[in-house]
mmCIF file of all heavy atoms in Angstrom:
data_model
loop_
_atom_site.group_PDB
_atom_site.id
_atom_site.type_symbol
_atom_site.label_atom_id
_atom_site.label_comp_id
_atom_site.label_asym_id
_atom_site.label_seq_id
_atom_site.Cartn_x
_atom_site.Cartn_y
_atom_site.Cartn_z
ATOM 1 N N ASP A 76 9.767 46.093 -16.906
ATOM 2 C CA ASP A 76 10.120 45.464 -15.549
ATOM 3 C C ASP A 76 11.518 44.770 -15.650
ATOM 4 O O ASP A 76 12.340 44.834 -14.727
ATOM 5 C CB ASP A 76 9.073 44.379 -15.213
ATOM 6 C CG ASP A 76 7.803 45.032 -14.685
ATOM 7 O OD1 ASP A 76 7.844 46.257 -14.273
ATOM 8 O OD2 ASP A 76 6.758 44.373 -14.694
ATOM 9 N N GLY A 77 11.812 44.158 -16.867
ATOM 10 C CA GLY A 77 13.098 43.506 -17.021
ATOM 11 C C GLY A 77 14.218 44.552 -17.012
ATOM 12 O O GLY A 77 15.269 44.313 -16.413
ATOM 13 N N GLN A 78 13.985 45.658 -17.640
ATOM 14 C CA GLN A 78 15.038 46.738 -17.708
ATOM 15 C C GLN A 78 15.255 47.318 -16.321
ATOM 16 O O GLN A 78 16.342 47.659 -15.912
ATOM 17 C CB GLN A 78 14.629 47.804 -18.694
ATOM 18 C CG GLN A 78 14.613 47.312 -20.159
ATOM 19 C CD GLN A 78 13.811 48.212 -21.125
ATOM 20 O OE1 GLN A 78 13.496 49.293 -20.764
ATOM 21 N NE2 GLN A 78 13.488 47.651 -22.294
ATOM 22 N N ARG A 79 14.138 47.453 -15.551
ATOM 23 C CA ARG A 79 14.278 47.987 -14.212
ATOM 24 C C ARG A 79 15.127 47.003 -13.338
ATOM 25 O O ARG A 79 15.907 47.339 -12.556
ATOM 26 C CB ARG A 79 12.882 48.209 -13.618
ATOM 27 C CG ARG A 79 12.921 48.564 -12.105
ATOM 28 C CD ARG A 79 11.551 48.712 -11.541
ATOM 29 N NE ARG A 79 10.744 47.485 -11.714
ATOM 30 C CZ ARG A 79 10.933 46.364 -11.020
ATOM 31 N NH1 ARG A 79 11.811 46.366 -10.078
ATOM 32 N NH2 ARG A 79 10.201 45.265 -11.275
ATOM 33 N N MET A 80 14.776 45.642 -13.453
ATOM 34 C CA MET A 80 15.443 44.720 -12.683
ATOM 35 C C MET A 80 16.959 44.649 -12.945
ATOM 36 O O MET A 80 17.764 44.521 -12.094
ATOM 37 C CB MET A 80 14.808 43.301 -12.903
ATOM 38 C CG MET A 80 13.445 43.193 -12.184
ATOM 39 S SD MET A 80 12.704 41.541 -12.464
ATOM 40 C CE MET A 80 13.940 40.513 -11.577
ATOM 41 N N VAL A 81 17.211 44.770 -14.251
ATOM 42 C CA VAL A 81 18.746 44.660 -14.628
ATOM 43 C C VAL A 81 19.476 45.869 -14.064
ATOM 44 O O VAL A 81 20.615 45.796 -13.604
ATOM 45 C CB VAL A 81 18.903 44.449 -16.117
ATOM 46 C CG1 VAL A 81 18.776 45.747 -16.901
ATOM 47 C CG2 VAL A 81 20.276 43.815 -16.356
ATOM 48 N N ARG A 82 18.821 47.011 -14.074
ATOM 49 C CA ARG A 82 19.490 48.229 -13.477
ATOM 50 C C ARG A 82 19.597 48.091 -11.989
ATOM 51 O O ARG A 82 20.571 48.579 -11.417
ATOM 52 C CB ARG A 82 18.673 49.463 -13.865
ATOM 53 C CG ARG A 82 18.857 49.845 -15.321
ATOM 54 C CD ARG A 82 18.349 51.226 -15.570
ATOM 55 N NE ARG A 82 16.906 51.335 -15.470
ATOM 56 C CZ ARG A 82 16.065 51.175 -16.519
ATOM 57 N NH1 ARG A 82 16.566 50.829 -17.716
ATOM 58 N NH2 ARG A 82 14.748 51.280 -16.325
ATOM 59 N N ASP A 83 18.637 47.345 -11.326
ATOM 60 C CA ASP A 83 18.780 47.082 -9.917
ATOM 61 C C ASP A 83 19.913 46.130 -9.642
ATOM 62 O O ASP A 83 20.607 46.197 -8.543
ATOM 63 C CB ASP A 83 17.454 46.497 -9.390
ATOM 64 C CG ASP A 83 16.341 47.472 -9.286
ATOM 65 O OD1 ASP A 83 16.619 48.707 -9.341
ATOM 66 O OD2 ASP A 83 15.152 47.066 -9.226
ATOM 67 N N LEU A 84 20.134 45.171 -10.549
ATOM 68 C CA LEU A 84 21.229 44.231 -10.455
ATOM 69 C C LEU A 84 22.677 44.847 -10.529
ATOM 70 O O LEU A 84 23.575 44.461 -9.799
ATOM 71 C CB LEU A 84 21.092 43.087 -11.420
ATOM 72 C CG LEU A 84 20.050 42.003 -11.121
ATOM 73 C CD1 LEU A 84 19.860 41.112 -12.451
ATOM 74 C CD2 LEU A 84 20.397 41.165 -9.988
ATOM 75 N N VAL A 85 22.760 45.741 -11.500
ATOM 76 C CA VAL A 85 24.131 46.251 -11.869
ATOM 77 C C VAL A 85 24.932 46.742 -10.657
ATOM 78 O O VAL A 85 26.173 46.413 -10.592
ATOM 79 C CB VAL A 85 23.929 47.407 -12.947
ATOM 80 C CG1 VAL A 85 25.251 48.149 -13.169
ATOM 81 C CG2 VAL A 85 23.541 46.754 -14.267
ATOM 82 N N PRO A 86 24.451 47.581 -9.725
ATOM 83 C CA PRO A 86 25.282 48.021 -8.629
ATOM 84 C C PRO A 86 25.835 46.911 -7.760
ATOM 85 O O PRO A 86 26.790 47.153 -7.038
ATOM 86 C CB PRO A 86 24.372 49.004 -7.923
ATOM 87 C CG PRO A 86 23.356 49.339 -8.870
ATOM 88 C CD PRO A 86 23.093 48.103 -9.673
ATOM 89 N N HIS A 87 25.283 45.694 -7.834
ATOM 90 C CA HIS A 87 25.739 44.623 -7.010
ATOM 91 C C HIS A 87 26.880 43.880 -7.647
ATOM 92 O O HIS A 87 27.386 42.940 -7.049
ATOM 93 C CB HIS A 87 24.609 43.616 -6.776
ATOM 94 C CG HIS A 87 23.458 44.233 -5.989
ATOM 95 N ND1 HIS A 87 23.438 44.281 -4.535
ATOM 96 C CD2 HIS A 87 22.267 44.780 -6.384
ATOM 97 C CE1 HIS A 87 22.327 44.857 -4.173
ATOM 98 N NE2 HIS A 87 21.590 45.161 -5.235
ATOM 99 N N PHE A 88 27.328 44.295 -8.849
ATOM 100 C CA PHE A 88 28.313 43.539 -9.596
ATOM 101 C C PHE A 88 29.577 44.429 -9.754
ATOM 102 O O PHE A 88 29.442 45.648 -9.945
ATOM 103 C CB PHE A 88 27.767 43.140 -10.873
ATOM 104 C CG PHE A 88 26.832 41.935 -10.757
ATOM 105 C CD1 PHE A 88 25.495 42.095 -10.396
ATOM 106 C CD2 PHE A 88 27.231 40.622 -10.966
ATOM 107 C CE1 PHE A 88 24.659 41.098 -10.271
ATOM 108 C CE2 PHE A 88 26.393 39.612 -10.819
ATOM 109 C CZ PHE A 88 25.062 39.825 -10.428
ATOM 110 N N ASP A 89 30.689 43.766 -9.736
ATOM 111 C CA ASP A 89 31.986 44.515 -9.993
ATOM 112 C C ASP A 89 32.162 44.781 -11.511
ATOM 113 O O ASP A 89 32.785 45.817 -11.837
ATOM 114 C CB ASP A 89 33.183 43.643 -9.552
ATOM 115 C CG ASP A 89 33.119 43.344 -8.078
ATOM 116 O OD1 ASP A 89 33.494 44.281 -7.242
ATOM 117 O OD2 ASP A 89 32.768 42.290 -7.700
ATOM 118 N N VAL A 90 31.641 43.960 -12.335
ATOM 119 C CA VAL A 90 31.822 43.989 -13.758
ATOM 120 C C VAL A 90 30.555 43.658 -14.458
ATOM 121 O O VAL A 90 29.793 42.750 -14.026
ATOM 122 C CB VAL A 90 32.929 42.999 -14.260
ATOM 123 C CG1 VAL A 90 33.114 43.092 -15.753
ATOM 124 C CG2 VAL A 90 34.230 43.152 -13.489
ATOM 125 N N VAL A 91 30.197 44.491 -15.452
ATOM 126 C CA VAL A 91 29.004 44.169 -16.284
ATOM 127 C C VAL A 91 29.478 44.096 -17.783
ATOM 128 O O VAL A 91 30.216 45.039 -18.197
ATOM 129 C CB VAL A 91 27.975 45.262 -16.152
ATOM 130 C CG1 VAL A 91 26.803 45.022 -17.154
ATOM 131 C CG2 VAL A 91 27.391 45.360 -14.732
ATOM 132 N N ILE A 92 29.196 43.062 -18.427
ATOM 133 C CA ILE A 92 29.612 42.854 -19.834
ATOM 134 C C ILE A 92 28.412 42.732 -20.744
ATOM 135 O O ILE A 92 27.508 41.949 -20.498
ATOM 136 C CB ILE A 92 30.444 41.564 -19.968
ATOM 137 C CG1 ILE A 92 31.641 41.559 -18.978
ATOM 138 C CG2 ILE A 92 30.929 41.354 -21.367
ATOM 139 C CD1 ILE A 92 32.426 40.312 -18.940
ATOM 140 N N THR A 93 28.399 43.536 -21.803
ATOM 141 C CA THR A 93 27.261 43.506 -22.750
ATOM 142 C C THR A 93 27.850 43.707 -24.183
ATOM 143 O O THR A 93 28.982 44.238 -24.348
ATOM 144 C CB THR A 93 26.191 44.531 -22.400
ATOM 145 O OG1 THR A 93 25.088 44.343 -23.264
ATOM 146 C CG2 THR A 93 26.764 45.936 -22.551
ATOM 147 N N ASN A 94 27.031 43.317 -25.135
ATOM 148 C CA ASN A 94 27.474 43.518 -26.519
ATOM 149 C C ASN A 94 26.266 43.904 -27.489
ATOM 150 O O ASN A 94 26.307 43.656 -28.696
ATOM 151 C CB ASN A 94 28.148 42.269 -27.069
ATOM 152 C CG ASN A 94 27.294 41.060 -27.139
ATOM 153 O OD1 ASN A 94 26.213 41.000 -26.515
ATOM 154 N ND2 ASN A 94 27.755 40.034 -27.801
#
Side-chain angles (χ1 to χ4, degrees):
D76 284 340
Q78 294 162 15
R79 175 185 54 78
M80 286 180 64
V81 80
R82 286 193 292 271
D83 289 343
L84 283 169
V85 165
H87 295 277
F88 287 80
D89 299 282
V90 181
V91 175
I92 303 173
T93 187
N94 63 347

